[in-house]
């Protein structure tokens, strides 16, 4: 969290926290528009991240991911059981993870429908009590004169170029994280209804910015 706070200060990006990160184990579920989301979430609550395996080798982003203990998921069927067991072990010991169910980043001006596949782990019968899902809305406000999508990093945008631009022109901007009330897993029948509830909460917070 100290590293993340220093990084945001260097970028001249003001950090605003609304709501309270849950103290127990589970997942922070957020919209995704930039590599800065990782830094902001670390500043707020220091969760571990869950990401697709190929991100490990991405320039810049991969380095940050490895440094903060990201769990990289290999999509090969042969690895599925081992990875699920490792993830469940971390949740059972009270760890908090961060996931981005949109499946990709955006320009920061919208929220894509949440994919439900990542929510399946919360319905394993022996997961245990005390695990919850907390929706988080991440919103950026650039300083006057910059486009509303300034902090967004998506599509085929080059990381090094975006990082250089943010470092040069970020001063005066704001990143705001809104932690919504945690969702009680017992209240949902399956991963799809849980994903829909998380989507609705994040979207409502995003619309209110």
């Amino acid at each position: 969290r100290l590293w993340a706070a220093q990084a945001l200060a260097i970028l001249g990006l003001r950090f605003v926290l609304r709501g309270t990160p849950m103290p127990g184990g589970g997942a922070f579920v957020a919209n995704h528009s930039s590599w800065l989301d990782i830094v902001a979430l670390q500043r707020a609550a220091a969760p571990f991240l869950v990401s697709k395996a190929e991100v490990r080798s991405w320039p810049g982003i991969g380095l940050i991911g490895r440094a903060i203990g990201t769990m990289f998921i290999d999509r090969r069927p042969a690895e599925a059981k081992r990875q699920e067991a490792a993830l469940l072990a971390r949740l059972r010991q009270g760890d908090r993870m961060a996931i981005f169910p949109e499946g990709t980043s955006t320009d920061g001006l919208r929220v894509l429908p949440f994919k439900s596949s990542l929510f399946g782990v919360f319905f394993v019968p022996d997961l245990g009590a005390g695990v919850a899902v907390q929706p988080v809305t991440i919103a950026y406000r650039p300083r006057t004169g910059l486009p509303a999508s300034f902090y967004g990093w998506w599509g085929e945008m080059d990381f090094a170029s975006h990082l250089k631009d943010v470092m040069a022109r970020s001063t005066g901007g704001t990143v705001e994280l809104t932690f919504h009330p945690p969702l009680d897993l017992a209240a949902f029948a399956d991963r799809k209804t849980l994903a829909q509830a998380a989507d609705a909460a994040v979207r409502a917070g995003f619309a209110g910015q």
Side-chain angles (χ1 to χ4, degrees):
R1 294 181 69 175
L2 178 60
W3 166 83
Q6 292 173 335
L8 293 176
I10 290 171
L11 294 172
L13 193 58
R14 189 170 70 97
F15 175 79
V16 176
L17 175 64
R18 300 190 186 282
T20 304
M22 62 185 183
F28 299 118
V29 180
N31 58 296
H32 190 26
S33 56
S34 176
W35 51 272
L36 283 163
D37 299 342
I38 299 171
V39 183
L41 282 167
Q42 288 296 311
R43 169 66 179 83
F48 74 93
L49 299 177
V50 177
S51 178
K52 54 188 179 183
E54 51 264 40
V55 174
R56 186 198 303 267
S57 61
W58 288 7
I61 295 296
L63 177 62
I64 294 173
R66 294 192 300 273
I68 62 176
T70 296
M71 183 174 181
F72 294 101
I73 301 296
D74 190 326
R75 296 179 180 177
R76 291 178 298 176
E79 294 293 314
K81 288 294 183 183
R82 181 187 64 80
Q83 292 175 153
E84 182 180 87
L87 182 57
L88 286 172
R90 297 193 68 166
L91 290 174
R92 288 181 182 126
Q93 68 183 22
D95 284 358
R96 299 175 300 176
M97 66 176 176
I99 57 177
F100 302 112
E102 290 168 290
T104 187
S105 55
T106 71
D107 58 7
L109 304 179
R110 56 202 170 118
V111 178
L112 301 177
F114 280 10
K115 301 179 185 300
S116 64
S117 56
L118 291 175
F119 292 86
V121 68
F122 299 109
F123 291 89
V124 173
D126 58 346
L127 178 58
V131 176
V133 167
Q134 184 169 26
V136 184
T137 301
I138 305 176
Y140 295 91
R141 290 195 293 274
R143 61 176 169 81
T144 302
L146 293 177
S149 62
F150 175 72
Y151 292 104
W153 180 67
W154 75 100
E156 301 301 318
M157 293 175 67
D158 176 66
F159 172 72
S161 298
H162 191 257
L163 173 62
K164 182 179 179 181
D165 195 24
V166 168
M167 292 186 70
R169 301 197 290 162
S170 180
T171 299
T174 299
V175 56
E176 181 174 303
L177 273 67
T178 301
F179 284 78
H180 303 282
L183 302 175
D184 180 4
L185 301 181
F188 299 93
D190 51 36
R191 61 183 175 85
K192 291 187 176 180
T193 55
L194 178 59
Q196 289 168 357
D199 180 309
V202 169
R203 197 176 296 274
F206 192 83
Q209 300 297 325

